Amino acid sequence: MALSYFPNAARVGSPQPTVESSPKQHLNEGVQEAYVEHKNRLLQALDSTKSILGDLRMFNKDAWVVRYPQLRSQPAASEPAGSSRRKSMRRSLSFPDDPTFEAEVIVSPAKAGLTRSVTLATIPDKEEPETPSHEEEGDRLISPEEASDFHVFRLDLKLGPHGSSASPAALVAQLEKSSIANLLDDRILNAVNHLDKLRSRIEDKSSKVLVTGDLNAGKSTFVNALLGREIMPVDQQPCTTAFCEVHDATENDGKEELHILKEGVPYSVTDESTFTRASLADLDSIVSENENDSQVLKVYLRDPRDPQASLLSNGIVDISLIDAPGLNRDNTHTTRVFARQEEIDVVVFVVSAENHFTLSAKEFLMNASHEKAYLFIVVNKYEQIRDKAKCRRLVLEQIKQLSPRTYEDAEDLVHFVDSQQALHENTPSFSNLESALRSFVLVKRSKSKLAPASTYLTKLLSDVDLLVGANAIVAQTEFDRAQRDLQRVRPVLEKMKNGRETLEESLESVEEHGASRTRMRTKELLSDAVERVGQGKLGVDLPTITLPSYPGLLGIWDYVREVRRALLSSLDAAVKLAEDEARVVTTEAVNKISQLGDEHLPEGVERSRRVFMPEAMFSARADKKGNRKSRRTSGTVVAGGMYGLGIGLAQRPDMLETTFFDLFDVHHQFWVHFGEGKSEEHDDMAVSTLGYASVGLGALTMVGGKTLGARGLFEGVVRIWDLLENETARRWAAPVIGAVTIGLAAYFIIELPSTVPRTVGRRIKASLVKEGEEHGEDASFVGAHAARVSRETRKVLRLASWDLKERFRAAMDERGREVHGAEEMERRAKKALDWFHEVERRAGEVRESVVLVNAA
């Protein structure tokens, strides 16, 4: 395509509409000073905001996991439908990483000099202020609808209803709090990086104007019309795939040429190694041949027009006019345009009057509105529309939704033109566009150069307000909960600490009292039983144990054996009775321990699930191989027996053995009749008496070997023989034998049935006493059983006491951890609360600077 200037001199040199006067007149010293002041104030605001974000990131990592809030509409039920009352809207506050948290809050959109507040909805609706007036509404930096969502910090978590795969519950299973905090940290870091870009743009004295729009909207034609020359390639097919940056030739030593930038190398106009030179005539072919490549081209032009009519050669600031690829060509080029707009001061968006705003166009404008409240809109090909009024109305309605501030200033920022027609002749609409664009870029630099940064800061600070306000509510909630927990747990912990020693002393007292009581009672029962047995009575009176009936002389031996068995069984029954009473005493003591647990254990602590079974006391245990064994393996009486045998007296063979002395206890009779208190008058008398007794005993041994036994028979024969060798004995033998025979007959018939139980009882008692004398009192029948029963009681009570002590210790440790955790939460929440309030204060101070810039 041949390059040519417009042949129509009137187009180039004709008088141009001006805005009040020349730009130089607008840029008087007062305006310039105000601009510099606002610029410096904005730079300070950027630095302060960057500092806030840096502190927020550090706080998020070190002291508090900053939560990402979500606000959902929750209109008050008492307000009528369509009511516009209270722009401070009620919202339901929740967090995606904690679906259980939900609170009703009031969100107040930020106004000039005020923060966007998020407070708990504790004030009744009737006390809420009325809807602000139109003037007050105009002071708002962010609309009420926008106040309920993030702008810069927005995370696309795509939460769905409960039960769906994208529900909060399902999301929490995939994202922990730290994960969402990391996502939020990335957003904050991106904001910090963008603040650096904004600072560079503000400090850069030049202005970058990006011309973009949908395919075939006429962007290149518009640029050509704006330059007054056919420079950019124009075709019905999409042809612009490169970013063509048009600069004034004075920046290139006045030479018109094309620089093709090398990818990945920082460009410098004075360093030819960073670009490749080409002629302007080659621009068309370069763009066509590299249609699929992502190129950046620098185009340097001379504009012979008067500085008052030229945008490039304006004599005020350096301007770069960037012709960008169409938005909806493909995703790659669209993404590049989205990224490039962050470096741009002014966006000139070209939209076709035939197609209006496409989805790509709307998405781009929404993204650009994060920082650029004012967009320069060019509705191209307008002259080709028949119903121009309808087209204008529809386009303005869409602009109102996409960029409200642009809509408010539509007279200066929205232009309906035909760029193709403006290439060949002057048109009033295009002349007005050029004047408005020059005024917007050159004269109203506070709006075109500073306002994007101011708008971005406003929305960023609004996000900070929402973030810290919601987290302050969380911190306040946790602080209140920590204080409630401390008020609840601290007294319990102090009570447990003070009562611990009392509890241990009480348990020791219960254990000692129970063991002593069972020991003394066992001794009392068994001692009484032994005394009764020594008197020939049963140790205890039970219907199941009775003395046998006398069977007669022929059954005397069996009678003696059964008497012995009955008396021994009564002693075993006395042992069983002592064990039963020990069970009762132990049960009472266990219940007392349970009462101590109810008294000293705090509420909410699970009580012991152990069930005391008294019948399990004194029972044999099984070893690992399943063999039954007694509870003790020492040589004491257990379960009614001795020496670890685990059997009763009535089952011991040594105790059941029956002898002649069970019929006639010679030793007892001797000490009764001849012991202390009976003097021996003559030795012969003694010999004679003993001799008579011996003769009688010898005769008795002759009464059947079955009755008396072989041993007794032999002893009788020996004694008779000795007596017969004595002459005196031989002389008295007949009378003595007769007397003894008569006495024994009377004894067997009359006295024997009543004397056998006493004789057997005395021998049993003497046997038990003898065992005690040989092994010590603790090994005696009474002492051993008393110690065993007491030991069993102590074992049960000690186990119950240990269980209670462990539960008490665990409960006190748990309360200690609760107090420590609550104190830690209180400390962290208080620190976070103070920090969030400080951030709100700092953000408010920064906002004042931003408001002053917006008002400029």
Side-chain angles (χ1 to χ4, degrees):
M1 177 181 68
L3 299 179
S4 63
Y5 292 104
F6 291 112
N8 189 348
R11 171 68 183 90
V12 176
S14 60
Q16 301 294 324
T18 61
V19 180
E20 296 182 1
S21 61
S22 68
K24 291 183 180 180
Q25 291 175 332
H26 279 281
L27 295 179
N28 54 44
E29 292 183 0
V31 174
Q32 184 66 20
E33 290 178 358
Y35 173 80
V36 172
E37 179 183 355
H38 296 152
K39 172 184 173 181
N40 293 335
R41 188 184 296 271
L42 189 56
L43 290 175
Q44 292 177 359
L46 287 173
D47 293 339
S48 299
T49 304
K50 184 178 178 180
S51 176
I52 291 175
L53 295 183
D55 293 344
L56 182 60
R57 292 189 65 208
M58 293 298 297
F59 194 74
N60 184 28
K61 293 179 179 179
D62 300 335
W64 183 272
V65 178
V66 178
R67 310 277 291 280
Y68 182 80
Q70 290 187 322
L71 298 171
R72 297 191 304 272
S73 298
Q74 190 180 28
S78 60
E79 293 183 0
S83 174
S84 60
R85 189 178 185 218
R86 184 71 187 238
K87 292 299 182 182
S88 299
M89 299 170 294
R90 289 181 177 270
R91 292 289 185 267
S92 177
L93 173 65
S94 62
F95 298 90
D97 55 3
D98 185 8
T100 60
F101 183 94
E102 187 168 357
E104 185 179 359
V105 298
I106 296 177
V107 182
S108 300
K111 296 199 305 182
L114 299 177
T115 64
R116 171 169 63 170
S117 62
V118 181
T119 56
L120 288 172
T122 57
I123 304 175
D125 290 343
K126 63 182 180 180
E127 298 181 7
E128 296 175 2
E130 297 295 334
T131 303
S133 63
H134 177 73
E135 291 77 7
E136 292 175 338
E137 183 70 22
D139 292 337
R140 295 194 182 275
L141 304 178
I142 294 179
S143 67
E145 291 74 15
E146 294 177 316
S148 300
D149 200 359
F150 285 105
H151 306 280
V152 181
F153 293 160
R154 180 181 299 172
L155 299 178
D156 188 14
L157 298 178
K158 296 182 179 179
L159 293 179
H162 284 277
S164 68
S165 60
S167 67
L171 180 67
V172 171
Q174 302 175 12
L175 290 178
E176 298 179 352
K177 293 180 181 179
S178 58
S179 300
I180 295 182
N182 290 336
L183 294 176
L184 186 59
D185 184 71
D186 290 340
R187 287 288 190 274
I188 298 175
L189 180 59
N190 292 337
V192 171
N193 294 334
H194 191 68
L195 290 177
D196 292 336
K197 294 179 181 178
L198 289 176
R199 166 172 272 281
S200 299
R201 280 164 45 185
I202 293 174
E203 292 177 339
D204 187 2
K205 297 181 179 180
S206 64
S207 291
K208 295 180 180 180
V209 180
L210 177 70
V211 180
T212 187
D214 288 327
L215 288 175
N216 294 325
K219 299 184 302 302
S220 298
T221 303
F222 168 74
V223 173
N224 289 335
L226 201 59
L227 295 174
R229 301 170 61 180
E230 293 188 27
I231 299 295
M232 299 296 113
V234 177
D235 197 342
Q236 293 182 350
Q237 298 296 323
C239 60
T240 305
T241 60
F243 283 92
C244 297
E245 299 184 10
V246 182
H247 295 261
D248 188 12
T250 56
E251 299 178 26
N252 190 36
D253 296 331
K255 294 182 292 185
E256 286 190 333
E257 59 184 3
L258 177 65
H259 291 181
I260 305 173
L261 273 60
K262 294 182 179 180
E263 187 175 359
V265 179
Y267 170 75
S268 173
V269 68
T270 60
D271 186 359
E272 294 192 17
S273 64
T274 63
F275 62 90
T276 301
R277 296 182 187 273
S279 172
L280 292 180
D282 299 331
L283 179 60
D284 196 351
S285 60
I286 291 173
V287 172
S288 301
E289 292 174 1
N290 299 277
E291 183 176 349
N292 296 322
D293 295 337
S294 300
Q295 292 182 316
V296 177
L297 308 177
K298 297 280 188 178
V299 181
Y300 293 94
L301 295 177
R302 287 192 298 269
D303 192 345
R305 292 179 294 177
D306 186 88
Q308 298 184 19
S310 173
L311 183 63
L312 292 180
S313 302
N314 54 75
I316 301 174
V317 295
D318 294 333
I319 299 294
S320 59
L321 193 62
I322 304 173
D323 185 13
L327 290 177
N328 51 356
R329 177 181 177 87
D330 55 50
N331 291 334
T332 301
H333 289 90
T334 300
T335 302
R336 291 175 62 219
V337 176
F338 272 59
R340 194 67 188 273
Q341 70 89 15
E342 294 183 354
E343 306 171 4
I344 302 304
D345 297 311
V346 178
V347 172
V348 177
F349 196 86
V350 180
V351 59
S352 172
E354 300 170 348
N355 301 324
H356 299 185
F357 295 95
T358 63
L359 292 177
S360 297
K362 292 179 180 179
E363 185 178 0
F364 175 85
L365 294 175
M366 291 294 293
N367 182 270
S369 65
H370 286 167
E371 67 170 57
K372 298 175 177 64
Y374 300 97
L375 301 172
F376 202 90
I377 307 296
V378 177
V379 184
N380 201 14
K381 305 179 183 179
Y382 182 67
E383 297 301 326
Q384 302 175 22
I385 302 299
R386 286 181 295 179
D387 192 346
K388 293 181 172 55
K390 180 180 179 180
C391 176
R392 178 184 291 270
R393 177 175 55 81
L394 294 176
V395 169
L396 290 177
E397 288 178 356
Q398 294 182 68
I399 293 175
K400 184 178 181 180
Q401 298 297 323
L402 297 172
S403 180
R405 291 300 176 92
T406 301
Y407 174 80
E408 294 172 2
D409 203 6
E411 184 176 354
D412 291 333
L413 299 178
V414 181
H415 297 268
F416 297 82
V417 298
D418 193 317
S419 300
Q420 184 65 35
Q421 181 181 357
L423 275 171
H424 303 93
E425 59 180 276
N426 281 329
T427 61
S429 60
F430 201 86
S431 296
N432 289 335
L433 181 151
E434 288 183 300
S435 298
L437 182 58
R438 280 172 52 83
S439 175
F440 185 65
V441 174
L442 304 178
V443 181
K444 301 179 179 179
R445 285 179 60 78
S446 291
K447 181 178 289 187
S448 63
K449 185 75 172 177
L450 304 183
S454 176
T455 301
Y456 182 80
L457 276 182
T458 299
K459 296 192 175 183
L460 180 58
L461 292 172
S462 177
D463 284 3
V464 171
D465 289 339
L466 177 56
L467 191 65
V468 301
N471 279 270
I473 290 176
V474 175
Q476 184 66 57
T477 302
E478 294 194 1
F479 180 78
D480 295 341
R481 184 171 63 216
Q483 288 193 322
R484 290 194 301 268
D485 290 344
L486 288 175
Q487 293 175 358
R488 173 180 57 84
V489 180
R490 263 181 181 159
V492 176
L493 180 61
E494 292 300 322
K495 180 180 178 182
M496 294 184 72
K497 288 181 177 179
N498 296 333
R500 183 173 188 174
E501 184 176 351
T502 303
L503 174 62
E504 292 179 351
E505 291 177 354
S506 299
L507 291 175
E508 291 178 2
S509 175
V510 171
E511 178 184 333
E512 189 62 34
H513 178 71
S516 300
R517 183 179 172 187
T518 55
R519 185 184 185 94
M520 296 303 297
R521 181 55 180 162
T522 301
K523 280 187 176 182
E524 181 182 348
L525 281 173
L526 297 186
S527 296
D528 183 64
V530 170
E531 288 297 326
R532 286 172 60 89
V533 168
Q535 298 171 7
K537 302 177 183 178
L538 294 175
V540 291
D541 295 325
L542 293 175
T544 56
I545 303 176
T546 58
L547 288 172
S549 301
Y550 180 63
L553 187 59
L554 296 178
I556 188 63
W557 199 256
D558 292 335
Y559 173 68
V560 172
R561 182 183 294 110
E562 293 304 321
V563 168
R564 177 176 284 274
R565 187 185 301 277
L567 293 176
L568 293 174
S569 296
S570 69
L571 290 177
D572 289 340
V575 173
K576 183 66 171 62
L577 181 61
E579 291 177 349
D580 290 341
E581 291 198 10
R583 290 185 176 95
V584 174
V585 173
T586 305
T587 301
E588 293 176 355
V590 170
N591 292 335
K592 177 62 176 176
I593 291 175
S594 298
Q595 293 174 4
L596 289 174
D598 294 336
E599 180 181 346
H600 289 84
L601 288 178
E603 295 182 3
V605 176
E606 183 180 11
R607 293 332 189 231
S608 176
R609 294 185 179 181
R610 294 177 180 269
V611 178
F612 173 56
M613 301 177 64
E615 59 273 13
M617 294 178 66
F618 312 107
S619 61
R621 291 176 174 175
D623 59 17
K624 294 181 179 179
K625 297 181 179 180
N627 301 321
R628 291 178 63 82
K629 62 179 182 178
S630 63
R631 290 181 177 268
R632 302 283 295 181
T633 58
S634 63
T636 57
V637 182
V638 295
M642 286 188 68
Y643 308 111
L645 297 178
I647 59 177
L649 294 176
Q651 284 76 41
R652 286 175 53 183
D654 61 323
M655 297 297 292
L656 290 173
E657 183 181 353
T658 304
T659 66
F660 162 75
F661 295 104
D662 289 339
L663 291 174
F664 186 80
D665 192 348
V666 178
H667 298 289
H668 175 73
Q669 293 299 329
F670 177 80
W671 286 109
V672 169
H673 295 286
F674 304 105
E676 295 180 2
K678 297 291 183 178
S679 62
E680 298 180 358
E681 298 179 355
H682 303 285
D683 293 338
D684 290 342
M685 180 68 69
V687 173
S688 299
T689 304
L690 290 175
Y692 292 149
S694 298
V695 171
L697 291 174
L700 185 61
T701 57
M702 302 301 292
V703 184
K706 181 178 180 181
T707 304
L708 300 179
R711 181 179 178 184
L713 180 61
F714 177 77
E715 291 178 353
V717 171
V718 173
R719 292 189 180 189
I720 291 173
W721 181 262
D722 291 339
L723 287 173
L724 291 177
E725 289 181 351
N726 189 295
E727 183 178 353
T728 303
R730 287 196 300 269
R731 189 170 52 245
W732 289 94
V736 170
I737 292 173
V740 170
T741 301
I742 295 172
L744 288 175
Y747 176 78
F748 277 106
I749 296 172
I750 300 173
E751 296 296 332
L752 189 60
S754 60
T755 58
V756 167
R758 291 194 298 272
T759 302
V760 174
R762 285 193 301 271
R763 288 178 57 78
I764 291 175
K765 177 181 177 182
S767 176
L768 295 178
V769 171
K770 182 179 179 182
E771 288 181 350
E773 292 175 350
E774 292 177 353
H775 299 91
E777 182 182 356
D778 290 340
S780 66
F781 173 76
V782 175
H785 277 297
R788 177 181 63 86
V789 172
S790 175
R791 185 167 52 248
E792 188 73 9
T793 299
R794 187 183 297 276
K795 186 184 301 183
V796 172
L797 298 182
R798 184 165 294 173
L799 177 61
S801 298
W802 175 85
D803 182 74
L804 178 55
K805 288 179 182 178
E806 284 299 304
R807 290 185 179 276
F808 186 86
R809 181 194 60 78
M812 191 164 69
D813 291 345
E814 179 64 26
R815 296 305 177 275
R817 287 191 293 270
E818 288 184 18
V819 169
H820 178 74
E823 289 176 343
E824 182 65 18
M825 179 185 292
E826 181 186 40
R827 184 190 64 80
R828 289 180 61 254
K830 183 65 170 62
K831 179 181 179 181
L833 199 58
D834 294 341
W835 191 86
F836 289 136
H837 289 162
E838 175 63 16
V839 170
E840 289 179 343
R841 183 193 64 78
R842 292 167 62 187
E845 293 178 353
V846 175
R847 185 176 288 100
E848 292 181 2
S849 300
V850 176
V851 170
L852 292 177
V853 173
N854 286 335

